[in-house]
Every structure is written in structure tokens, then in C-alpha cells.
Amino acid sequence: MTEEFNESMINDIKEGDKVTGEVQQVEDKQVVVHINGGKFNGIIPISQLSTHHIENPSEVVKVGDEVEAYVTKIEFDEENDSGAYILSKRQLETEKSYEYLQEKLDNDEVIEAEVTEVVKGGLVVDVGQRGFVPASLISTDFIEDFSVFDGQTIRIKVEELDPENNRVILSRKAVEQAENDVKKALLLESLSEGDIIEGKVARLTNFGAFIDIGGVDGLVHVSELSHKHVQSPEEVVSVGDVVKVKVKSVEKDSERISLSIKDTLPTPFENIKGKYHENDIIEGTVVRLANFGAFVEIAPAVQGLVHISEIDHKHIGSPSEVLEPGQQVNVKILGIDEDNERISLSIKATLPKENVIESDASTTQSYLDDDNGEDNPTLGDVFGDKFKDLKL
């Protein structure tokens, strides 16, 4: 008779079946459930109540709640002709969670989840079960302290699912990257050559500075950092500096943006307007010699040309006969062309006619031949350093 009863019971509700019922009692370590259509009550141990760690069953259920669970075991006491269904609500929640997460993975969808714990290797999140965001998948940016995420609801994508090993890997970085890609596309579309915008110095290299202009980095070449000659970007900017930049070019296909800080600054010539006048005699430094004359710096990054005929009262065949780079000289301003930012200078006009300049130059410098003769310098010769950094 017992065997017949057991067979009837097993045929009615079996291990692995999904059942529903109403919570009758909430005890310290378990919950008693009246099973719909069942011969016995169901018992859900506290460890099988939730996918999350709980201290007391009352944290997740109360008397009268309708619950759904899997039958994991059937206990039957032949002597007392009684029994119980051992249930797992946790197993059902895990199964539903995997189904939900698999759908999101297949469709590459974003989900939201609360960070329940911050651990050394990343973040633990609630996705219907315990999910993990490794440190390498938290952000596209370097984050030193993950504790800022504790308790936050974050947007994530499913990276990997492994139900057999109860492994759920998620990525916040993937969401950020997708958002950044959208921002980058919109920004590249909106930028035009000549725009002046604001950005933050993101990183420095030996050839320039990368500026974050809103989720996209543009390069300021070292030659575009300042009007003066710059050896290293660190001389002009530091990481974190907020700077104004001018857009020089935008290559949308390759997502390359060339920027200039120099073009947003007053030119050296503008800085001296009103300071120097025609016939002024000032001191300068010889910075460069050409076959038609010498360039003398009279203010930071401001150079004027001393034509070879204005170097000395006596005839000289080459400026190097009497001058050398780095030499300090007095010069007279012969003319200022503000429109073209050019200054004509004379050393000869500061000297008595009987005096000549003695040179301590020990070597003779060679220069490029000028097809138009000594008195007809090329534009490149005249403008000298002004064009040296342009990529023409």
C-alpha cells in the first residue's frame, strides 16, 4: 500500500517540477508554503529563497505571498504517512535570469543593474542573480577607486554567460564605448575648419599634445603650441589644462582632427604694436644669416631683416664676414609694415661711418643660391621662421 501511495505521489508532483503556492509561515531558516494541488506543504530553505545572500527569510517573502519554485526533493515519512516538498525559489530565479540575460546578449541590449558590492577585482551587480563586472570592463577611462560605484545603478551589457559554471560577466565599458562612438560621430560632423573651441589636455607626447574636445581627441602638433619655438610640449601645457584651440583640419574617415593653440593667441607682432616706431634704435640678437642679409630678433619671436646693404658702411660679400648667430647688435628701425608683419632694420645706421663691425665668426657659412640675386630674397627667406612650422 505504501508503494502504491509513493507511486501516486510521485506521479502527481515530481522532482524537477515547477510548482506554485502561498506562503503559510516565515521562520528563521525556512519558509513553509501551501502547494497548489500538492499532497504536502513545501519547504524553502533560506539558502534557496534568493539568488542573493540574505540573513532572514522575511527580507524577501511574507505570509500570504504567492511564490513559484522548483521541487528539488520529496521527503516522505512512511511511519507517519507524511511528507514535504523541498523547494528552490533561487533555482527558478536563476533560470529566468539566464533566459533574460541571454536575450539581452543576443540583441546586444543595454540593461541597468545595482552595484551590490565592490571587490578588489571589480563590481558585483544584481541582474536577477550575482553578476560580475571585472575591473578591465568598468570604464574606458582609468578609475583608481571603484568604491564610487557602490550602491549605484549602472548601465551595462552582457559580455559572457556560462550557466554550467554559474558565471555572468558584464561590461560597463562597452556601453561607454558605444556612447563615445555616437558622440564622436556627431562631433566630427559638426566640426569645421576654422572653428575655435575649448578642450582639455588629455596627454602629451614628444611631438605634441592631444586635446579632449568632448569625447574626441585632436592633436596640437608641437609647432602649433606657441608662436615661439618649443622643444617639448611640457614647456607650454600640462595634462588637465583647459585650452582654446582652432580647428585646422578634420578627416572624418580616419577620425583625425588637427588643432592649433598658436592660432588662438595674438601674434608676436601684435604684442609689440605701439611699442616700436620708425627710427627707434634698439638692441637685438642675430638669429639667422642668409646670403641677402641677417635676421635680428628684437622681441620674443619678433624678427626683422637687416639687408646686406644695411649691415656695414663698407661693402661686404656675405653677412657672415661681420656677423654670427647669437651676436648682440644695435639696430635702427627703418620701416614697419603692420599689414604684412614685417620690419626693416639697419645696423649701419647705428654706426659712425668710419667704424666697421668686427666679427669673431671663425667659419664661413654656406647658403642656398638665390636665383634672383642677392638683392631679391625669396618669400621663404624673408619670412624665415614664420613659415618653418607650416606643412605646405
mmCIF file of all heavy atoms in Angstrom, residues 26 46 49 52-62:
data_model
loop_
_atom_site.group_PDB
_atom_site.id
_atom_site.type_symbol
_atom_site.label_atom_id
_atom_site.label_comp_id
_atom_site.label_asym_id
_atom_site.label_seq_id
_atom_site.Cartn_x
_atom_site.Cartn_y
_atom_site.Cartn_z
ATOM 1 N N VAL A 26 6.711 32.047 7.911
ATOM 2 C CA VAL A 26 8.062 32.542 7.669
ATOM 3 C C VAL A 26 8.860 32.328 8.959
ATOM 4 O O VAL A 26 8.620 32.990 9.964
ATOM 5 C CB VAL A 26 8.068 34.038 7.296
ATOM 6 C CG1 VAL A 26 9.504 34.528 7.105
ATOM 7 C CG2 VAL A 26 7.255 34.285 6.034
ATOM 8 N N ILE A 46 16.291 28.737 3.651
ATOM 9 C CA ILE A 46 16.732 30.120 3.460
ATOM 10 C C ILE A 46 17.773 30.244 2.340
ATOM 11 O O ILE A 46 17.784 31.233 1.604
ATOM 12 C CB ILE A 46 17.295 30.700 4.786
ATOM 13 C CG1 ILE A 46 17.587 32.206 4.621
ATOM 14 C CG2 ILE A 46 18.540 29.951 5.235
ATOM 15 C CD1 ILE A 46 17.964 32.893 5.930
ATOM 16 N N LEU A 49 16.014 30.637 -1.081
ATOM 17 C CA LEU A 49 14.973 31.665 -1.224
ATOM 18 C C LEU A 49 15.328 32.727 -2.252
ATOM 19 O O LEU A 49 14.455 33.315 -2.877
ATOM 20 C CB LEU A 49 14.721 32.341 0.128
ATOM 21 C CG LEU A 49 13.551 31.797 0.952
ATOM 22 C CD1 LEU A 49 13.521 32.471 2.309
ATOM 23 C CD2 LEU A 49 12.223 31.991 0.236
ATOM 24 N N HIS A 52 20.453 36.112 -3.943
ATOM 25 C CA HIS A 52 21.316 36.988 -3.144
ATOM 26 C C HIS A 52 21.424 36.468 -1.717
ATOM 27 O O HIS A 52 20.543 35.757 -1.225
ATOM 28 C CB HIS A 52 20.775 38.424 -3.132
ATOM 29 C CG HIS A 52 20.506 38.966 -4.496
ATOM 30 N ND1 HIS A 52 21.484 39.152 -5.434
ATOM 31 C CD2 HIS A 52 19.342 39.341 -5.086
ATOM 32 C CE1 HIS A 52 20.963 39.632 -6.540
ATOM 33 N NE2 HIS A 52 19.660 39.744 -6.364
ATOM 34 N N HIS A 53 22.496 36.829 -1.063
ATOM 35 C CA HIS A 53 22.680 36.434 0.329
ATOM 36 C C HIS A 53 21.703 37.206 1.214
ATOM 37 O O HIS A 53 21.609 38.435 1.135
ATOM 38 C CB HIS A 53 24.113 36.718 0.787
ATOM 39 C CG HIS A 53 24.322 36.444 2.234
ATOM 40 N ND1 HIS A 53 24.415 35.166 2.744
ATOM 41 C CD2 HIS A 53 24.435 37.301 3.303
ATOM 42 C CE1 HIS A 53 24.587 35.220 4.054
ATOM 43 N NE2 HIS A 53 24.606 36.506 4.416
ATOM 44 N N ILE A 54 20.959 36.465 2.058
ATOM 45 C CA ILE A 54 20.021 37.112 2.996
ATOM 46 C C ILE A 54 20.242 36.543 4.388
ATOM 47 O O ILE A 54 20.693 35.394 4.553
ATOM 48 C CB ILE A 54 18.543 36.916 2.577
ATOM 49 C CG1 ILE A 54 18.208 35.420 2.453
ATOM 50 C CG2 ILE A 54 18.248 37.640 1.269
ATOM 51 C CD1 ILE A 54 16.740 35.142 2.166
ATOM 52 N N GLU A 55 19.924 37.337 5.390
ATOM 53 C CA GLU A 55 20.092 36.912 6.780
ATOM 54 C C GLU A 55 18.818 36.302 7.332
ATOM 55 O O GLU A 55 18.868 35.448 8.227
ATOM 56 C CB GLU A 55 20.503 38.108 7.653
ATOM 57 C CG GLU A 55 21.849 38.714 7.293
ATOM 58 C CD GLU A 55 23.003 37.774 7.587
ATOM 59 O OE1 GLU A 55 22.835 36.876 8.452
ATOM 60 O OE2 GLU A 55 24.075 37.912 6.955
ATOM 61 N N ASN A 56 17.671 36.739 6.793
ATOM 62 C CA ASN A 56 16.392 36.264 7.304
ATOM 63 C C ASN A 56 15.394 36.147 6.158
ATOM 64 O O ASN A 56 15.350 37.030 5.287
ATOM 65 C CB ASN A 56 15.852 37.238 8.362
ATOM 66 C CG ASN A 56 14.690 36.659 9.146
ATOM 67 O OD1 ASN A 56 13.598 36.489 8.605
ATOM 68 N ND2 ASN A 56 14.910 36.374 10.426
ATOM 69 N N PRO A 57 14.590 35.080 6.128
ATOM 70 C CA PRO A 57 13.626 34.909 5.046
ATOM 71 C C PRO A 57 12.658 36.076 4.881
ATOM 72 O O PRO A 57 12.164 36.347 3.783
ATOM 73 C CB PRO A 57 12.868 33.638 5.438
ATOM 74 C CG PRO A 57 13.854 32.858 6.247
ATOM 75 C CD PRO A 57 14.619 33.909 7.027
ATOM 76 N N SER A 58 12.401 36.785 5.976
ATOM 77 C CA SER A 58 11.459 37.903 5.913
ATOM 78 C C SER A 58 11.965 39.043 5.025
ATOM 79 O O SER A 58 11.209 39.947 4.689
ATOM 80 C CB SER A 58 11.173 38.434 7.319
ATOM 81 O OG SER A 58 12.378 38.901 7.927
ATOM 82 N N GLU A 59 13.235 38.995 4.641
ATOM 83 C CA GLU A 59 13.785 40.021 3.753
ATOM 84 C C GLU A 59 13.220 39.909 2.339
ATOM 85 O O GLU A 59 13.202 40.882 1.598
ATOM 86 C CB GLU A 59 15.310 39.903 3.684
ATOM 87 C CG GLU A 59 16.031 40.205 4.987
ATOM 88 C CD GLU A 59 17.537 39.979 4.858
ATOM 89 O OE1 GLU A 59 18.072 40.172 3.744
ATOM 90 O OE2 GLU A 59 18.180 39.607 5.855
ATOM 91 N N VAL A 60 12.743 38.705 1.980
ATOM 92 C CA VAL A 60 12.293 38.508 0.605
ATOM 93 C C VAL A 60 10.835 38.052 0.483
ATOM 94 O O VAL A 60 10.223 38.214 -0.575
ATOM 95 C CB VAL A 60 13.217 37.510 -0.143
ATOM 96 C CG1 VAL A 60 14.580 38.118 -0.390
ATOM 97 C CG2 VAL A 60 13.349 36.200 0.617
ATOM 98 N N VAL A 61 10.242 37.445 1.525
ATOM 99 C CA VAL A 61 8.842 36.999 1.455
ATOM 100 C C VAL A 61 8.117 37.302 2.753
ATOM 101 O O VAL A 61 8.745 37.517 3.796
ATOM 102 C CB VAL A 61 8.740 35.481 1.159
ATOM 103 C CG1 VAL A 61 9.257 35.153 -0.219
ATOM 104 C CG2 VAL A 61 9.452 34.667 2.235
ATOM 105 N N LYS A 62 6.778 37.260 2.649
ATOM 106 C CA LYS A 62 5.946 37.416 3.845
ATOM 107 C C LYS A 62 4.748 36.481 3.718
ATOM 108 O O LYS A 62 4.439 35.973 2.625
ATOM 109 C CB LYS A 62 5.488 38.863 4.010
ATOM 110 C CG LYS A 62 4.630 39.395 2.892
ATOM 111 C CD LYS A 62 4.272 40.859 3.144
ATOM 112 C CE LYS A 62 3.352 41.414 2.069
ATOM 113 N NZ LYS A 62 3.977 41.409 0.735
#
